[in-house]
Amino acid sequence: MSDDTPIFAAARQASEIMHGNGLRLQRPSEPRVMCIANQKGGVGKTTTAVNLAAALAAGGLGVLVIDLDPQGNASTALGVDHSEGTPSSYNLLLWEQNFQELAQQSPTNPNLYCIPATIDLAGAEIELVSMFSRERRLAEVLVPEDLRALGIDYVFVDCPPSLGLLTLNAMVAAKEILVPIQCEYYALEGVTQLLRNVELVTEALNKSLAVSTVMLTMYDARTNLSHQVAEEVRQHFGSKVLRNVIPRNIKISEAPSYNQTILDYDPGSKGALAYIDAAKEINERFIAEFGALVAANSKHEDED
């Protein structure tokens, strides 16, 4: 087989992923806490969270996924136990256990951890209403020094498709928001309300918060619709939109049913390679650009 064909390149990259070499990413200067949010359902939030996490972990970085969606789909995809009674993100929000005790290591990558969601989380928003510092429950326990001590470079908080107290906790704890947008009709539906909420959180609760990344998902290069939606999103969000898009790919849809990320299920697929490229771009962007913005925001917060 010729070594300059796309098939050979994909096979080689798959082999490198499976054997833990070839992909080496530079560590960010501080742990990045990213909230993955979009109140519209079915846009690929959980798929984005687990596959970006797997790609960054394959690159040698320490990654923690916090599943704040009561459905627990991120926990399923990462192959960690989230049966009823399992210590979970519910216990984290109630300050009953710290994240070091709750994080389960991925069965496929020692760099990847997950704090699962269980059915207990379904009632958490009601319980949080009367609690002290209800919007800061997650922020108070995600101490950067503790994250770095555990070797964590990235924290992805997978949010439910709503803008309630669970998502609010994620926004207050994070410095960045990653917004997945599917390349289909009504792609920007709900995003306006999300951005309005981000502004309110930034003004009142977390001055360091910013929408740093917009990712186009379910992109079908064969259709005019995908091209039109991508163009509309790029016009709206500008340089925040990743160059790399996530294609509509059946392998991505199949992977969770096997309790796997796409990198474990089919590392040579177009979906796996797309998430690897997106993860590299996200990491490189921070190293080159977003670090300065975070530093400026932090300085502004100290002055206030």
Side-chain angles (χ1 to χ4, degrees):
M1 182 185 297
S2 172
D3 61 1
D4 59 356
T5 65
I7 293 176
F8 183 89
R12 180 175 58 194
Q13 191 161 2
S15 176
E16 290 173 347
I17 295 167
M18 293 174 69
H19 292 92
N21 53 43
L23 179 63
R24 284 292 174 266
L25 301 177
Q26 182 179 345
R27 298 187 72 186
S29 57
E30 61 179 58
R32 297 177 70 180
V33 181
M34 304 184 76
C35 165
I36 300 181
N38 188 332
Q39 71 184 74
K40 192 171 186 293
V43 301
K45 288 189 298 295
T46 297
T47 301
T48 294
V50 299
N51 289 317
L52 282 180
L56 290 165
L61 302 182
V63 187
L64 171 65
V65 176
I66 300 177
D67 193 349
L68 278 191
D69 188 341
Q71 296 179 80
N73 291 333
S75 308
T76 298
L78 292 172
V80 299
D81 181 20
H82 63 108
S83 56
E84 187 175 356
T86 301
S88 67
S89 55
Y90 172 82
N91 305 97
L92 187 68
L93 290 172
L94 267 59
W95 294 351
E96 295 176 345
Q97 291 176 265
N98 59 43
F99 72 86
Q100 296 97 321
E101 296 170 324
L102 296 168
Q104 296 185 39
Q105 192 174 51
S106 163
T108 61
N109 192 315
N111 299 324
L112 180 56
Y113 297 84
C114 176
I115 297 178
T118 62
I119 193 64
D120 294 330
L121 197 60
E125 290 200 90
I126 298 174
E127 295 183 53
L128 287 172
V129 170
S130 60
M131 287 186 178
F132 168 74
S133 192
R134 62 185 182 183
E135 302 93 350
R136 298 191 56 83
R137 306 294 293 189
L138 185 59
E140 293 293 334
V141 295
L142 288 184
V143 181
E145 291 76 15
D146 292 342
L147 290 168
R148 182 59 93 184
L150 192 63
I152 300 298
D153 299 297
Y154 281 84
V155 177
F156 289 118
V157 186
D158 185 34
C159 299
S162 67
L163 296 174
L165 272 173
L166 292 176
T167 299
L168 181 58
N169 262 270
M171 288 185 179
V172 175
K175 287 192 175 181
E176 304 177 53
I177 293 182
L178 188 158
V179 183
I181 297 179
Q182 86 284 26
C183 294
E184 296 179 351
Y185 287 112
Y186 309 120
L188 293 173
E189 185 181 75
V191 174
T192 301
Q193 183 60 47
L194 172 65
L195 296 178
R196 195 172 295 127
N197 280 45
V198 171
E199 289 179 6
L200 292 173
V201 172
T202 303
E203 291 171 4
L205 296 166
N206 183 4
K207 290 183 172 63
S208 297
L209 185 66
V211 175
S212 67
T213 309
V214 175
M215 174 182 284
L216 292 166
T217 63
M218 306 178 196
Y219 182 85
D220 189 341
R222 301 168 299 178
T223 67
N224 289 330
L225 176 62
S226 283
H227 292 292
Q228 292 167 1
V229 171
E231 181 62 27
E232 182 181 1
V233 172
R234 292 188 189 281
Q235 288 179 358
H236 189 82
F237 288 100
S239 61
K240 293 179 180 179
V241 184
L242 294 180
R243 296 187 309 274
N244 291 288
V245 301
I246 306 303
R248 181 174 290 281
N249 181 255
I250 188 63
K251 297 294 185 180
I252 295 176
S253 303
E254 291 175 351
S257 64
Y258 292 88
N259 293 3
Q260 293 181 327
T261 67
I262 186 61
L263 273 76
D264 296 315
Y265 180 65
D266 191 347
S269 66
K270 289 182 179 179
L273 302 182
Y275 273 110
I276 290 169
D277 289 338
K280 288 163 63 177
E281 184 178 355
I282 287 171
N283 194 59
E284 290 166 359
R285 278 189 175 196
F286 180 81
I287 300 298
E289 302 170 10
F290 199 72
L293 178 59
V294 170
N297 283 341
S298 298
K299 181 179 179 182
H300 178 67
E301 187 175 25
D302 291 341
E303 291 173 351
D304 289 348

